[in-house]
Amino acid sequence: MSLSKKEQGFSFYWYTSWRMLWRDWRGGELTILAIGLIIAVTSITAVGFFTDRIERGLQMQSAELIAGDLVLTSGRADIYDYIAEARSNDFRVATTQQFRSVVLADERLQLTEVKAVSDAYPLRGVVRTSDTAFGDDEATTGIPAPGELWVEPRLLQLLDLEIGDSVDLGTSTFTIRKFIRYEPDRAGDLFSVAPRVMMNSADLDATGLISTGALVNYRVLIAGDSDRIVKYQAHLKQQLRAGEQVLSVEEGRPELNTALKSAQQFLGLAALISVLLAGVAVATVANRFSNRHLNTSAMMRCLGASQDTIIRLFTMEMLWLSLLASTVGCLLGILTQFVITELLDQLVLKQLPPPSLQSLVLGYATGIVMLIGFALPPLLSLRRVPPIHVLRKDVPTRPPSVWTVYLAVVFCMSLLLYWQIGDLRLVSIVIGGIVATLAALASAAYLLILLLNRLRARVGVAWRFGLANISRRPGSSVIQIVAFGLGIMVLLLLSTVRSDLLDNWQSSLPDDAPNYFVINVQSDQVEKIMENFDEMGVVKTKLYPMVRARLVEVNGRKISTSDYESERAKRFVTREFNLSWAEEMQPGNELVMGQWWRQQDHNKPLISFETKLAQTLKLAVDDVVSFDINGSLMDFTISNLRSVDWDTFNVNFFTVVSPGVLEDQPANWITSVYLDKEQRKQLDKLVREFTNITLIDIETIMQRVRGIIERVSLAVEFIFLFTLMAGLAVLYAAIQSNQDERRFESAVLRTFGASKKVLMLGLFAEFTMLGALSGLLAGLSATSLAWLLAEFIFRFDYQFDISVALTGLVSGILIVVIAGLLGTRSVLTTPPVQTLREGRA
Amino acid sequence: MLTLLHDINFNIEAGTSVAILGASGSGKTTLLGLLAGLDTPTDGAVYLDDHNLNDFDEDGRASLRAELVGFVFQNFQLLFGLTALENVMLPLELAQAPHPRKTAEELLSRVGLQERLHHYPNQLSGGEQQRCAIARAFSTRPRCLFADEPTGNLDSETGKRIIELLFELNSEHGTTLIMATHDIELSKLCRQRIRLKAGSMLDNEMD
């Protein structure tokens, strides 16, 4: 039975909850809650805005690698049917036609890769040209004028021509005007043997080269606003006819994708750590907030407030707080990303698309979810405070069920992670990892506290008091050690491990990474080329053989494109493989399955496949594959599968066979080398001596990838500042968490005559031990975490470093003692009578 | 299970003043809590204004308290985050009384704290805190006022003035006053005295 009671109207809750918020704010109860929320929301929105903008910006920039945002490609001219539609959608459009043809100069012939381009080409990026073969190049606007050709330097070397000479192409005569040094969309066919010739597409018909049946690759390049491009791409994909393909930036350059992906992972990780840490800070202070409001709630119950009234009031108070803090966080987030993008704008990116508002939604959602998940469970327990609590403090209050609190926290963490990562499996792994780490930290902390207790009998009064404080409240000490440990761990990760992570990432593309590919070297030239490189002072060169082969049978069964569904598999069945041979596995390759050949296996027909290619072609270890090599069939048994790091710009092969099998076959040799500016000047001599070899300059692409890595590293460092602030908030919250109890106990001790010095020593002892325990745990977890991150997420080698654990120990003691003593100075300065009069909070 | 109170049976007339007298640990505070509906007995019944408190759930009793009951505590129980004025306004706001600020200001003037409206509890002396608590207790014009050792934390002179104030307001508002105390002198000011010893009622004396 319940008395007919007055239902409180919304205006009552609205008014009272705002007043409660104002009072608690004034009383300093909400500062850390608000700071925690603001840090989380700021970092999540800043990263959200920033990655969104930079992603679209980089996409625009990397679009130059396909010379547009989208490329439609086909072997038939009717791909041009799409031009009108693209133009009507206000996209910019250009076209290219590529085919092989022979250039004739004074009866000397040379097969070339001709590319006829239309006016606006390239839509993204620039063509770089020069007037001398290996001299300084410059960005060029425009395309070859009618009647003119731009050519790759080696064409002139092959034909012994100079700029200004004339050549015939088809039935037309052209003047050679410039050297092509860099062509944005050349990346896709770096290894084409024939040199490039670029002409104006207006001249194409007159050459008579494009006749029915000619092998021509027609391309329509499209560029425009990034949002609309994404939609248009989806639209195009549905329209495509047989033989037509649409390429976008993502499909353009895998190594750029990797850089972008790592960038996002770094930024996302930094933001997530900030959010989770801020969550820990919020949860820690929410507990104290709830404890300090036990009396308020009991008093309100005495004064007639129902359980619902209390819970609604506190919930609304928290809602207002989260809305206010989220608003501040979002504003700071917008400001922060402007600062970062401004910084980066000046470095490289010329223009970025404006921020989209999606991140704002994410910001508010984060604020609300965090406060509800981390702070509400302890507050909910306030509804169960018995009103008799005001008369009799010994009546126990029922704390919230530990499981409720933890489940809420885990649920909200998962929600936030899912938002960020969008992969349920990964979220489960991360959450599992976090829970396991926390459990491990907590158990380790508990064991250490038990050990500590044994020390008590052997130390003086002040230390005994300090150690007793730790072991007397094992629960709250464990929470403090874990919170301190988390805070210090992040500081450690930031100060030592972060730079390792970023350095490792940057060094994955070192300054002396190969910048030239030398291909088409004949077997009898290998030694001489090596001698030449030695003379030039080139280090780390090795030439790799390649034998052209076509895959025709698998396990004795002939294969054709119809055996495979995937486009990639079909392409591999029709194209030629480059079979290399090697005694040792190449650096950067890793054995995934099977065994690399031993000495005694040499001369046996064994083959190693790149693991993804094997998957595509549905091949496994011990399968027998037959290749057509120069007209004769050779069988190879697959002895192993390798993973290959394609991002290194080193020479790598999909297929490698054991030595002693292919040596008699005619082979082409290939290498990649790093050439500095001086060495590059000597290339002229090299290509004149070996007229058949081809040099491919990949410096520009590498600069671009390196640029992205450098820029994003800077942004990551900036975002990590928030993580640092969140770490400090956790430390502060941990110190605050049992401040009231400490103050009360100190007051009691002082009434018994304990001097300030003894109290100070006691606190010093307590914080020293807390700091040592948390620092040690933090150091160990930081190295383990860094190793996990390096091994499984960023995929590079990480060296264990014992000094990190020691730094943890020392910095733990320093940080916790300094912060602890500063944070608890009121314990010593508040007159004991005042503390005792206020009573145990 | 420990039995805290047993064999207790008495009536209290509306408008009277009652002292629950006993030494520390005799069960005064527990009894006061039961009478005010802050707790329920495991056995037996408490009737407040003809309502059997056992018939109500916790929210029902809260509602009843809002309507009928006021409290004064030994350690004042002012909310530390709130000013004197806000402390007095709180029950009025919870009861959605009209003009809570005006009523609270009047009551605080009545108890002599008109100059201390915006002070926080820790800026008030013990006597001033208890005056504020008394103003709060009377703010909703309760039919019944429960006081737990109201002078227990005060020196005798201040205590005396607080008791005078409590009784003055009690007679002005026609409230039933039920006070737990161990002070025999103080209990003599009440018209009815219930003496407890070790959880049971020794006597129930009326003037």
Side-chain angles (χ1 to χ4, degrees):
Chain A
M1 176 177 150
S2 171
L3 200 75
S4 65
K5 53 186 175 194
K6 267 188 269 182
E7 273 301 318
Q8 313 283 8
F10 181 74
S11 61
F12 163 78
Y13 288 110
W14 168 266
Y15 173 76
T16 312
S17 56
W18 274 107
R19 285 177 65 90
M20 282 165 62
L21 179 70
W22 171 237
R23 289 165 193 161
D24 283 331
W25 177 258
R26 224 173 31 189
E29 303 280 345
L30 301 173
T31 319
I32 284 288
L33 278 180
I35 288 176
L37 283 181
I38 290 173
I39 291 173
V41 175
T42 305
S43 55
I44 216 98
T45 44
V47 168
F49 279 130
F50 175 67
T51 46
D52 176 49
R53 290 184 72 190
I54 206 99
E55 198 177 320
R56 290 191 286 155
L58 286 173
Q59 216 155 32
M60 272 164 52
Q61 200 191 40
S62 26
E64 71 176 70
L65 296 170
I66 56 167
D69 296 326
L70 286 180
V71 172
L72 281 158
T73 164
S74 165
R76 291 197 313 271
D78 59 5
I79 193 85
Y80 291 162
D81 294 350
Y82 294 101
I83 293 177
E85 187 192 45
R87 287 216 166 105
S88 70
N89 275 297
D90 282 340
F91 291 123
R92 292 191 299 132
V93 178
T95 61
T96 66
Q97 292 110 312
Q98 297 180 58
F99 54 92
R100 286 187 172 191
S101 184
V102 169
V103 164
L104 182 71
D106 295 338
E107 307 200 347
R108 278 163 297 161
L109 293 170
Q110 176 61 44
L111 183 71
T112 59
E113 295 265 353
V114 183
K115 181 177 192 171
V117 298
S118 76
D119 255 344
Y121 172 86
L123 297 178
R124 303 281 186 211
V126 286
V127 176
R128 298 185 74 88
T129 59
S130 65
D131 297 326
T132 55
F134 295 102
D136 291 340
D137 57 44
E138 57 177 9
T140 311
T141 51
I143 58 168
E148 290 180 1
L149 294 183
W150 295 354
V151 301
E152 231 179 298
R154 66 189 162 104
L155 177 71
L156 295 199
Q157 288 152 10
L158 292 168
L159 294 175
D160 199 16
L161 293 172
E162 286 177 7
I163 293 279
D165 287 347
S166 294
V167 290
D168 291 339
L169 187 60
T171 54
S172 304
T173 303
F174 292 88
T175 307
I176 294 170
R177 191 56 64 201
K178 282 178 178 173
F179 286 115
I180 300 173
R181 298 296 296 282
Y182 169 72
E183 190 187 325
D185 52 342
R186 186 71 196 272
D189 52 359
L190 273 181
F191 300 105
S192 40
V193 179
R196 164 70 80 218
V197 167
M198 191 182 285
M199 62 184 289
N200 192 308
S201 59
D203 287 338
L204 197 57
D205 283 345
T207 63
L209 290 171
I210 308 275
S211 52
T212 317
L215 272 179
V216 183
N217 175 245
Y218 295 89
R219 289 184 168 216
V220 179
L221 316 181
I222 300 170
D225 167 65
S226 55
D227 285 342
R228 292 200 301 125
I229 279 289
V230 173
K231 286 185 194 140
Y232 192 56
Q233 183 186 359
H235 163 76
L236 280 178
K237 277 195 170 161
Q238 290 177 337
Q239 311 258 311
L240 293 181
R241 296 164 292 199
E244 296 175 348
Q245 252 191 306
V246 56
L247 305 175
S248 68
V249 180
E250 289 87 353
E251 290 138 17
R253 298 291 314 169
E255 65 276 1
L256 266 180
N257 279 336
T258 316
L260 279 176
K261 223 173 175 179
S262 294
Q264 284 174 8
Q265 279 176 334
F266 269 118
L267 283 168
L269 183 79
L272 265 183
I273 296 178
S274 311
V275 170
L276 296 182
L277 270 181
V280 173
V282 165
T284 313
V285 284
N287 218 16
R288 178 175 184 239
F289 179 82
S290 149
N291 281 337
R292 286 171 71 94
H293 283 72
L294 282 178
N295 234 19
T296 311
S297 307
M299 194 59 223
M300 285 169 77
R301 304 280 289 126
C302 265
L303 297 174
S306 67
Q307 292 189 338
D308 276 355
T309 304
I310 286 178
I311 226 57
R312 271 185 215 170
L313 285 173
F314 278 111
T315 309
M316 283 175 82
E317 181 183 357
M318 288 299 115
L319 189 66
W320 305 145
L321 178 68
S322 62
L323 286 177
L324 287 177
S326 302
T327 305
V328 176
C330 283
L331 289 175
L332 285 175
I334 293 174
L335 216 65
T336 309
Q337 64 85 27
F338 270 123
V339 173
I340 310 174
T341 43
E342 189 60 29
L343 226 122
L344 295 183
D345 255 353
Q346 286 164 11
L347 279 175
V348 183
L349 286 180
K350 291 177 197 75
Q351 56 174 116
L352 279 180
S356 69
L357 290 179
Q358 251 180 350
S359 304
L360 276 186
V361 179
L362 185 65
Y364 276 100
T366 304
I368 293 168
V369 167
M370 248 183 79
L371 205 59
I372 289 175
F374 293 89
L376 214 53
L379 285 179
L380 284 178
S381 67
L382 289 176
R383 70 198 296 245
R384 294 199 300 256
V385 176
I388 192 74
H389 186 78
V390 290
L391 285 177
R392 302 204 27 204
K393 290 282 183 289
D394 56 330
V395 174
T397 53
R398 273 200 295 159
S401 139
V402 173
W403 291 113
T404 319
V405 177
Y406 289 168
L407 275 179
V409 168
V410 167
F411 177 75
C412 290
M413 268 192 196
S414 316
L415 207 63
L416 291 173
L417 281 167
Y418 186 70
W419 252 327
Q420 278 293 298
I421 304 176
D423 178 347
L424 206 59
R425 193 176 145 265
L426 199 57
V427 170
S428 324
I429 293 173
V430 173
I431 285 287
I434 290 175
V435 171
T437 311
L438 287 181
L441 279 176
S443 324
Y446 189 72
L447 282 176
L448 287 172
I449 290 171
L450 288 183
L451 281 175
L452 210 61
N453 210 15
R454 301 197 168 181
L455 276 179
R456 272 167 67 181
R458 300 176 199 171
V459 291
V461 60
W463 277 83
R464 194 160 57 238
F465 171 59
L467 298 188
N469 269 350
I470 297 177
S471 49
R472 191 159 41 84
R473 319 179 265 256
S476 86
S477 294
V478 165
I479 290 173
Q480 272 199 324
I481 290 172
V482 171
F484 278 136
L486 278 179
I488 296 166
M489 183 181 85
V490 169
L491 299 183
L492 278 179
L493 272 176
L494 293 185
S495 56
T496 60
V497 186
R498 181 212 66 225
S499 51
D500 283 358
L501 289 173
L502 291 182
D503 285 351
N504 263 313
W505 186 32
Q506 292 200 347
S507 65
S508 65
L509 202 61
D511 285 342
D512 60 352
N515 57 359
Y516 271 84
F517 276 101
V518 183
I519 62 172
N520 220 16
V521 177
Q522 302 305 305
S523 298
D524 56 357
Q525 295 173 323
V526 171
E527 261 179 53
K528 285 181 199 152
I529 293 257
M530 291 293 281
E531 281 167 19
N532 262 281
F533 279 148
D534 279 348
E535 278 171 30
M536 286 165 72
V538 175
V539 285
K540 287 197 284 187
T541 43
K542 189 180 173 201
L543 280 125
Y544 299 91
M546 295 191 304
V547 171
R548 292 236 159 203
R550 191 177 292 275
L551 180 65
V552 283
E553 285 178 15
V554 172
N555 294 329
R557 212 183 123 249
K558 277 210 174 335
I559 54 160
S560 71
T561 49
S562 55
D563 293 331
Y564 299 96
E565 279 169 21
S566 90
E567 286 299 320
R568 185 165 186 253
K570 285 181 203 280
R571 280 204 298 276
F572 273 105
V573 171
T574 52
R575 66 168 251 186
E576 286 198 315
F577 280 74
N578 287 313
L579 301 185
S580 187
W581 66 85
E583 280 185 35
E584 305 287 334
M585 197 163 35
Q586 261 177 272
N589 287 204
E590 252 179 72
L591 202 66
V592 176
M593 213 174 276
Q595 267 194 327
W596 189 258
W597 33 82
R598 295 156 299 176
Q599 186 82 34
Q600 60 263 39
D601 297 326
H602 294 178
N603 304 321
K604 289 183 191 164
L606 300 175
I607 191 165
S608 164
F609 265 78
E610 191 258 351
T611 178
K612 281 189 186 144
L613 174 63
Q615 278 166 12
T616 308
L617 293 174
K618 299 173 187 163
L619 298 172
V621 171
D622 292 337
D623 278 352
V624 175
V625 285
S626 310
F627 283 96
D628 176 349
I629 303 171
N630 294 317
S632 52
L633 216 58
M634 284 183 84
D635 292 346
F636 294 89
T637 307
I638 300 178
S639 72
N640 63 67
L641 304 180
R642 288 164 294 126
S643 68
V644 175
D645 184 0
W646 295 105
D647 305 339
T648 56
F649 292 94
N650 286 318
V651 177
N652 272 304
F653 298 96
F654 283 113
T655 42
V656 179
V657 304
S658 53
V661 182
L662 289 178
E663 273 80 344
D664 294 341
Q665 299 289 340
N668 263 315
W669 294 69
I670 177 172
T671 187
S672 62
V673 288
Y674 171 76
L675 299 175
D676 62 26
K677 219 170 176 184
E678 286 305 309
Q679 290 163 339
R680 267 174 255 171
K681 285 183 187 159
Q682 301 173 49
L683 286 176
D684 231 356
K685 184 176 152 267
L686 192 77
V687 290
R688 286 196 186 278
E689 192 177 340
F690 306 99
T691 48
N692 60 302
I693 66 165
T694 305
L695 288 169
I696 294 158
D697 179 355
I698 53 165
E699 178 77 15
T700 322
I701 296 169
M702 293 192 32
Q703 287 297 355
R704 209 137 271 145
V705 175
R706 205 173 275 133
I708 291 172
I709 293 179
E710 277 167 16
R711 271 172 279 151
V712 178
S713 298
L714 199 72
V716 171
E717 303 240 348
F718 195 86
I719 292 298
F720 265 127
L721 279 182
F722 290 99
T723 320
L724 185 80
M725 285 193 272
L728 291 176
V730 170
L731 288 180
Y732 185 76
I735 293 203
Q736 291 283 305
S737 65
N738 55 9
Q739 179 90 309
D740 302 320
E741 204 172 338
R742 204 174 264 131
R743 186 182 294 135
F744 186 80
E745 285 162 3
S746 294
V748 172
L749 282 172
R750 283 181 69 189
T751 16
F752 289 154
S755 68
K756 266 193 185 183
K757 193 179 158 200
V758 169
L759 288 182
M760 181 86 147
L761 261 176
L763 287 174
F764 177 78
E766 182 182 346
F767 287 128
T768 305
M769 287 321 293
L770 278 178
L773 297 184
S774 355
L776 193 67
L777 288 176
L780 294 174
S781 355
T783 32
S784 317
L785 198 65
W787 175 77
L788 281 172
L789 287 176
E791 186 76 5
F792 296 107
I793 297 185
F794 300 114
R795 304 211 174 268
F796 53 76
D797 288 334
Y798 177 75
Q799 299 295 322
F800 267 105
D801 189 356
I802 188 72
S803 69
V804 176
L806 292 176
T807 316
L809 182 72
V810 176
S811 56
I813 295 176
L814 282 177
I815 292 173
V816 177
V817 167
I818 293 171
L821 290 181
L822 282 178
T824 53
R825 62 187 190 285
S826 67
V827 167
L828 301 173
T829 51
T830 315
V833 63
Q834 185 183 329
T835 310
L836 291 173
R837 201 197 299 159
E838 285 169 10
R840 193 185 282 260
Chain B
M1 195 169 73
L2 191 67
T3 305
L4 293 176
L5 296 171
H6 52 90
D7 300 325
I8 295 177
N9 189 13
F10 57 84
N11 288 312
I12 294 171
E13 291 294 318
T16 189
S17 54
V18 182
I20 299 172
L21 200 60
S24 288
S26 59
K28 305 187 291 291
T29 302
T30 308
L31 180 60
L32 197 75
L34 289 174
L35 296 179
L38 297 180
D39 210 348
T40 47
T42 45
D43 197 12
V46 177
Y47 286 83
L48 183 63
D49 198 25
D50 289 336
H51 298 289
N52 182 349
L53 295 183
N54 289 355
D55 292 341
F56 294 84
D57 58 10
E58 179 37 47
D59 274 350
R61 291 197 299 277
S63 182
L64 204 59
R65 286 196 295 272
E67 208 167 293
L68 299 174
V69 172
F71 289 98
V72 176
F73 302 96
Q74 178 178 2
N75 49 2
F76 326 131
Q77 294 288 6
L78 294 177
L79 299 184
F80 274 83
L82 309 191
T83 60
L85 181 64
E86 288 166 343
N87 263 295
V88 179
M89 281 168 68
L90 183 67
L92 291 164
E93 286 169 351
L94 281 171
Q96 299 183 75
H99 318 300
R101 174 178 279 268
K102 191 165 164 278
T103 312
E105 282 173 351
E106 282 169 5
L107 269 163
L108 282 164
S109 297
R110 173 66 188 85
V111 299
L113 289 179
Q114 62 275 21
E115 305 296 326
R116 313 285 254 165
L117 298 183
H118 302 294
H119 285 66
Y120 286 94
N122 59 2
Q123 297 169 315
L124 301 175
S125 70
E128 286 171 328
Q129 286 190 51
Q130 195 60 303
R131 282 165 188 273
C132 181
I134 290 172
R136 179 180 65 184
F138 281 99
S139 64
T140 51
R141 299 191 159 269
R143 306 253 316 265
C144 193
L145 183 76
F146 292 91
D148 179 32
E149 302 272 15
T151 59
N153 270 3
L154 302 170
D155 61 72
S156 58
E157 195 51 42
T158 313
K160 208 172 138 196
R161 284 207 296 275
I162 286 296
I163 290 300
E164 281 168 16
L165 179 66
L166 195 58
F167 276 83
E168 272 171 36
L169 280 168
N170 192 41
S171 83
E172 278 172 28
H173 288 80
T175 317
T176 309
L177 175 67
I178 302 166
M179 181 164 60
T181 182
H182 62 273
D183 184 343
I184 296 172
E185 290 307 312
L186 181 55
S187 71
K188 285 182 183 161
L189 297 172
C190 298
R191 280 187 246 161
Q192 183 177 355
R193 285 164 295 282
I194 297 161
R195 281 209 299 154
L196 296 183
K197 190 175 180 187
S200 65
M201 195 166 84
L202 276 186
D203 54 37
N204 180 5
E205 184 184 283
M206 271 181 258
D207 288 343

